[in-house]
């Protein structure tokens, strides 16, 4: 059975990678039936179900994982809430998605990808304070090759500084805006939006 489980997981993962979520879902569903306690397979199944347009079943799997966590904070629970946020997005529930992203970051506070997603979602909903906290968190993270669970990237940190600068400017704090934009350009000189806003400040 262990051999079949491994083959199913591998097949499901490959199907997801090539964008065939509809075929991946039943494969991963069978894999999970063999090892219902395997959390990685459960997350893969959620990804497949969400992409295949089955949010109800995907939500049910995330609910099971949240209950199984018994309220203990963990990186895994952060990943579960991140999936839940995607489900809420797919169902047209941006506020609920924002709440799920907030909970995801609470469980995985050094995850740059999560923090950037939370900032973007909060900005879109006009939640300036939440966005500012998320972007500030990114500026304090260590640099990692990818903006995932172990930190952030220079490009993401530059973008976070840019958003903080733009928000400060919108609030009328030109001094803070210039400071943030200077840091943004320093982190990533190719970020044209930051350069343009900084030039505008210097000219005005």
């Amino acid at each position: 059975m262990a051999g079949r489980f491994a083959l199913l997981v591998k097949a499901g993962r490959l199907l997801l990678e090539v964008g065939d979520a509809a075929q991946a879902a039943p494969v991963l569903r069978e894999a999970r039936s063999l090892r219902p306690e395997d959390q990685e397979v459960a997350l893969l199944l959620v990804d497949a179900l969400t992409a295949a347009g089955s949010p109800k079943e995907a939500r049910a799997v995330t609910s099971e994982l949240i209950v199984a966590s018994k309220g203990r904070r963990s990186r895994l629970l952060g990943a579960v809430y991140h999936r839940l946020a995607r489900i809420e997005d797919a169902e047209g529930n941006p506020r609920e998605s924002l709440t799920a992203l907030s909970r995801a970051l609470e469980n995985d506070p050094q995850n740059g990808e999560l923090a950037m997603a939370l900032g973007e979602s909060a900005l879109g909903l006009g939640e300036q304070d939440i966005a500012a906290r998320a972007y500030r968190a990114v500026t304090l993270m260590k640099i990692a090759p990818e903006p995932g669970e172990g930190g952030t990237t220079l490009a993401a940190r530059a973008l976070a500084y840019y958003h903080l600068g733009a928000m400060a400017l919108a609030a009328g704090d030109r001094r803070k805006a210039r400071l943030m934009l200077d840091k943004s350009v320093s982190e990533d000189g190719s970020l044209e939006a930051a350069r343009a806003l900084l030039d505008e400040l210097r000219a005005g």
Side-chain angles (χ1 to χ4, degrees), residues 140-156:
L140 297 172
M141 290 179 189
K142 68 181 182 180
I143 297 299
E146 294 294 332
E149 60 190 34
T152 190
T153 63
L154 284 172

Side-chain angles (χ1 to χ4, degrees), residues 50-198:
T50 303
S54 301
K56 186 176 180 180
E57 187 181 352
R59 186 187 295 275
V61 178
T62 62
S63 296
E64 289 174 23
L65 292 169
I66 290 168
V67 170
S69 75
K70 298 178 181 178
R72 293 187 297 269
R73 288 189 179 186
S74 68
R75 189 173 288 174
L76 170 73
L77 192 54
V80 174
Y81 276 115
H82 196 185
R83 264 73 172 184
L84 181 57
R86 291 173 184 161
I87 294 168
E88 298 291 7
D89 268 337
E91 294 198 304
N93 303 320
R95 290 276 168 192
E96 289 78 1
S97 177
L98 180 66
T99 298
L101 281 172
S102 294
R103 289 180 178 167
L105 191 59
E106 287 171 7
N107 279 276
D108 193 1
Q110 293 302 310
N111 189 317
E113 181 185 2
L114 273 178
M116 291 300 290
L118 176 59
E120 182 180 355
S121 178
L123 269 187
L125 292 169
E127 295 288 352
Q128 302 288 315
D129 289 345
I130 296 174
R133 285 198 298 273
Y135 289 131
R136 278 198 300 269
V138 174
T139 67
L140 297 172
M141 290 179 189
K142 68 181 182 180
I143 297 299
E146 294 294 332
E149 60 190 34
T152 190
T153 63
L154 284 172
R157 196 153 73 181
L159 188 58
Y161 275 126
Y162 162 72
H163 283 303
L164 290 170
M167 291 164 66
L169 185 58
D173 192 340
R174 295 175 66 87
R175 182 177 175 278
K176 181 179 179 182
R178 182 162 179 169
L179 177 64
M180 294 295 103
L181 292 167
D182 272 331
K183 289 185 176 182
S184 176
V185 171
S186 175
E187 296 281 2
D188 182 3
S190 67
L191 187 56
E192 290 299 328
R195 279 192 172 280
L197 200 54
L198 187 57

Side-chain angles (χ1 to χ4, degrees), residues 5-57:
F5 173 80
L7 286 172
L8 287 168
V9 174
K10 183 178 181 181
R13 199 186 294 275
L14 286 171
L15 286 165
L16 271 179
E17 287 175 0
V18 299
D20 196 347
Q23 290 295 321
V27 172
L28 292 167
R29 198 182 286 120
E30 183 180 348
R32 190 170 187 237
S33 72
L34 296 176
R35 289 191 190 174
E37 77 288 350
D38 192 299
Q39 296 167 328
E40 183 182 355
V41 171
L43 289 175
L44 286 172
L45 177 57
V46 171
D47 289 340
L49 292 168
T50 303
S54 301
K56 186 176 180 180
E57 187 181 352

